[in-house]
Amino acid sequence: MTNKSKQKTINWGIIGLGKIANKFATDLQTVEGAKLYAVASRTQEKANAFAEKFNVTKAYNSYDLLANDPNIDAVYIATPHALHKENTLLCLEKGIAVLCEKPFAMNANEVGEMIARAKEKNVLLMEALWTYFLPHYQYVLKAIENKTYGNIIKLEADFGFHRDFDDNTRLFNKSLGGGSLLDIGIYPIFAALSTLGIPENIAATATYFDNGADSSCSMTFEYNDGVTAYLKSSLLENLPTEAIFQFEKGKIKINTMFHQPSTVTIYSEDDVETITFDYETIGYNYETIHFNELLRQGKTESPIMSFKFSKTLIKTLDKVRELINLRY
Ligand SMILES: NC(=O)c1ccc[n+]([C@@H]2O[C@H](COP(=O)([O-])OP(=O)(O)OC[C@H]3O[C@@H](n4cnc5c(N)ncnc54)[C@H](OP(=O)(O)O)[C@@H]3O)[C@@H](O)[C@H]2O)c1
């Protein structure tokens, strides 16, 4: 690797200029060696406004036009779940590296297709599960790996907030992949898979909105040796949104909004300590820095948010959907 290639500014593009695109773009401004070069919206007005806000060079009124811009190195897909596969393939076809929002796609078949295409084209692809890259989450993973408090014996993780039902919005609209499980249930599931691995057995129940999207989902993941993960997502009520790991010799609680920059409280045999982390951004820069490094090194897969992990995650979501009879 030459010094020059290390220094190369990565030209980013964003497809779909909604809420998360704004946050991603805000944090991208803090990332060295990266520039938000182009954005694409279904409407020119929106693209122009976004481009002005973030000082973006190109503002496109179609996703196709962005994918055809030869100056783009990486694209962040920030459209509703149901469009992730189509938008990802569009960019991979053109040899552009893709960081695609969670859930990676609607089901394991779609994810398999995306990964196969990335491999065929030899292009970097990663699911944007930002939590994996956040320092407080990495801290907890280290404590688990080092068995600082012994083995995990129980996990309780949830994610819930109340929103009035509105079928016109992405969160609830079934044709866009709306519902609690795919949108926020993915985080408690991620907490279980990233710490305990694939469960031996899964049980799940759900409640539904009138349009068939799930309004809440309760899951139990059973592991060997009686280890259990109790997981829940809800769009009906505000939940603590914590991840609590019970160990043989203590407890680690990732405090509220555990999936985003947060604090960690450790309950050991004779002490309670809350650890804070020096977060200065919304938290989307960590995944981006990792992605940029992979791209500069010519890598096509992340060792952290690996294809294997993304496949396990979507297969687990598929399994839960089968159990609660949630079909898209
Ligand atoms: N990592 C995280 O923390 C996080 C947080 C929130 C959401 N997400 C994920 O990011 C994705 C987008 O979420 P969001 O909250 O940003 O959604 P959003 O505010 O609704 O934005 C989605 C954007 O997708 C584009 N789009 C294309 N076709 C669309 C259609 N048929 N209906 C609606 N929008 C369409 C629109 O952009 P244009 O009009 O510009 O084309 C829209 O603004 C979801 O998959 C979600 O799971 C991740």
Side-chain angles (χ1 to χ4, degrees):
M1 194 185 346
T2 66
N3 214 25
K4 200 175 163 209
S5 68
K6 263 193 201 160
Q7 303 295 321
K8 183 188 178 305
T9 295
I10 291 172
N11 277 341
W12 276 87
I14 302 181
I15 283 182
L17 307 180
K19 285 193 220 75
I20 194 63
N22 269 275
K23 291 184 184 174
F24 181 86
T26 301
D27 278 356
L28 186 60
Q29 291 177 316
T30 71
V31 176
E32 266 181 46
K35 175 182 163 44
L36 182 50
Y37 167 79
V39 290
S41 170
R42 293 163 302 169
T43 54
Q44 189 68 53
E45 249 184 357
K46 202 170 159 193
N48 289 346
F50 198 100
E52 195 173 325
K53 182 173 171 189
F54 292 103
N55 194 22
V56 182
T57 311
K58 299 271 181 157
Y60 292 113
N61 65 5
S62 98
Y63 302 166
D64 260 7
L65 286 174
L66 182 141
N68 278 296
D69 185 326
N71 296 317
I72 295 176
D73 303 305
V75 164
Y76 172 63
I77 308 282
T79 51
H81 322 332
L83 297 166
H84 288 177
K85 183 191 99 170
E86 176 189 326
N87 300 153
T88 294
L89 294 182
L90 174 72
C91 297
L92 292 177
E93 276 311 323
K94 304 287 174 188
I96 302 172
V98 173
L99 175 66
C100 177
E101 259 310 333
K102 42 59 59 177
F104 216 5
M106 293 301 292
N107 55 52
N109 284 343
E110 289 193 355
V111 166
E113 212 181 312
M114 289 153 67
I115 291 172
R117 194 66 55 87
K119 285 183 174 169
E120 189 187 309
K121 293 278 173 184
N122 204 27
V123 176
L124 175 63
L125 171 67
M126 189 180 99
E127 182 174 3
L129 222 149
W130 65 315
T131 311
Y132 228 152
F133 303 93
L134 296 174
H136 76 283
Y137 200 79
Q138 282 292 329
Y139 176 91
V140 172
L141 289 178
K142 259 277 148 5
I144 292 168
E145 191 187 317
N146 294 341
K147 296 200 188 293
T148 313
Y149 308 98
N151 292 310
I152 299 175
I153 52 179
K154 185 174 76 174
L155 165 64
E156 292 169 283
D158 60 18
F159 195 147
F161 52 85
H162 170 78
R163 268 302 144 74
D164 290 329
F165 179 81
D166 178 358
D167 202 21
N168 294 318
T169 63
R170 176 191 72 72
L171 195 57
F172 300 98
N173 190 292
K174 198 142 178 257
S175 63
L176 298 176
S180 86
L181 179 68
L182 293 191
D183 203 72
I184 51 178
I186 191 171
Y187 287 108
I189 291 176
F190 161 76
L193 297 179
S194 60
T195 56
L196 291 164
I198 301 171
E200 292 292 313
N201 190 44
I202 297 178
T205 56
T207 58
Y208 300 90
F209 295 112
D210 288 346
N211 70 347
D214 68 297
S215 51
S216 73
C217 183
S218 299
M219 296 155 273
T220 307
F221 286 12
E222 285 171 358
Y223 293 86
N224 287 333
D225 305 325
V227 177
T228 308
Y230 300 95
L231 314 171
K232 181 165 187 180
S233 60
S234 179
L235 295 172
L236 300 173
E237 58 177 331
N238 296 323
L239 294 175
T241 308
E242 296 166 342
I244 306 168
F245 298 89
Q246 182 66 54
F247 295 84
E248 293 159 314
K249 293 181 289 176
K251 185 167 86 175
I252 293 184
K253 179 153 77 83
I254 310 184
N255 291 306
T256 192
M257 306 308 273
F258 77 89
H259 69 295
Q260 66 181 42
S262 186
T263 58
V264 170
T265 301
I266 302 196
Y267 305 78
S268 54
E269 272 155 2
D270 47 11
D271 196 23
V272 178
E273 185 194 3
T274 294
I275 301 164
T276 57
F277 298 81
D278 291 331
Y279 284 116
E280 288 177 354
T281 60
I282 316 168
Y284 296 99
N285 49 313
Y286 296 96
E287 63 179 1
T288 313
I289 289 167
H290 173 73
F291 191 92
N292 286 348
E293 277 167 8
L294 295 175
L295 200 52
R296 288 201 178 94
Q297 291 164 5
K299 300 264 168 64
T300 51
E301 181 180 354
S302 165
I304 299 171
M305 195 64 207
S306 64
F307 292 153
K308 188 175 171 205
F309 190 87
S310 280
K311 281 182 180 171
T312 299
L313 183 54
I314 195 72
K315 278 185 191 161
T316 308
L317 287 164
D318 282 0
K319 174 72 188 164
V320 172
R321 288 205 296 110
E322 189 189 316
L323 289 168
I324 62 173
N325 199 21
L326 174 61
R327 290 157 208 264
Y328 287 100

